[in-house]
C-alpha cells in the first residue's frame, strides 16, 4: 500500500502555501496541479502511488485548499497561477518537472 503524502507549509510571495509531497528527494518532480475549484487532496491517491518511484509535489494553489490568498488578489488569472507555481518550484529547488 502506498505511503500517504506529507503536508507542509511553504511561504510563497509572503503568503502561506500548502503542498503535499512524497517520494525521494531531488531536483526533479512529478507536479500535480488541481483544477479550480479544487485542492491537492484531489491528487492524494494517485500522488501516493507515484511517490513510490518519483518525487511528488501537489500544491494547494493560491486561495485554494489550505493555502492563503494573497492580499488584494481576487482574480487568479493564468499569469498569477503560473507565477505562484514557479515560485513554489524555486522554493523547493525543483529544476525539472513532469506536469500533471
Amino acid at each position: 500500500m502506498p505511503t500517504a503524502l506529507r503536508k507542509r507549509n511553504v511561504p510563497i510571495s509572503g503568503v502561506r502555501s500548502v503542498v503535499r509531497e512524497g517520494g525521494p528527494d531531488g531536483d526533479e518532480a512529478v507536479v500535480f496541479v488541481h483544477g479550480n475549484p479544487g485542492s491537492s487532496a484531489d491528487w492524494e491517491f494517485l500522488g501516493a502511488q507515484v511517490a513510490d518511484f518519483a518525487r511528488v509535489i501537489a500544491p494547494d494553489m493560491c486561495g485554494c485548499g489550505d493555502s492563503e490568498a494573497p492580499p488584494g488578489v481576487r482574480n487568479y488569472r493564468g499569469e498569477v497561477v503560473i507565477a505562484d507555481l514557479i515560485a513554489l518550484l524555486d522554493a523547493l529547488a525543483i529544476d525539472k518537472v513532469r506536469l500533471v
Side-chain angles (χ1 to χ4, degrees):
M1 178 173 220
T3 305
L5 300 178
R6 304 173 304 279
K7 278 176 74 172
R8 73 171 167 137
N9 296 327
V10 179
I12 302 296
S13 304
V15 297
R16 180 181 50 81
S17 296
V18 175
V19 64
R20 292 175 197 256
E21 57 187 341
D25 290 334
D27 64 351
E28 186 172 342
V30 179
V31 179
F32 292 88
V33 179
H34 63 80
N36 188 13
S39 75
S40 62
D42 296 344
W43 297 108
E44 179 69 34
F45 179 75
L46 182 58
Q49 292 186 37
V50 173
D52 284 344
F53 58 88
R55 184 174 182 187
V56 168
I57 303 298
D60 282 346
M61 299 307 291
C62 60
C64 296
D66 293 327
S67 288
E68 295 177 339
V73 176
R74 296 199 187 282
N75 182 358
Y76 299 109
R77 297 184 322 258
E79 302 87 28
V80 173
V81 173
I82 291 167
D84 283 350
L85 186 56
I86 290 170
L88 174 67
L89 297 174
D90 287 345
L92 298 176
I94 296 172
D95 296 325
K96 190 171 183 180
V97 170
R98 305 273 193 252
L99 188 61
V100 179

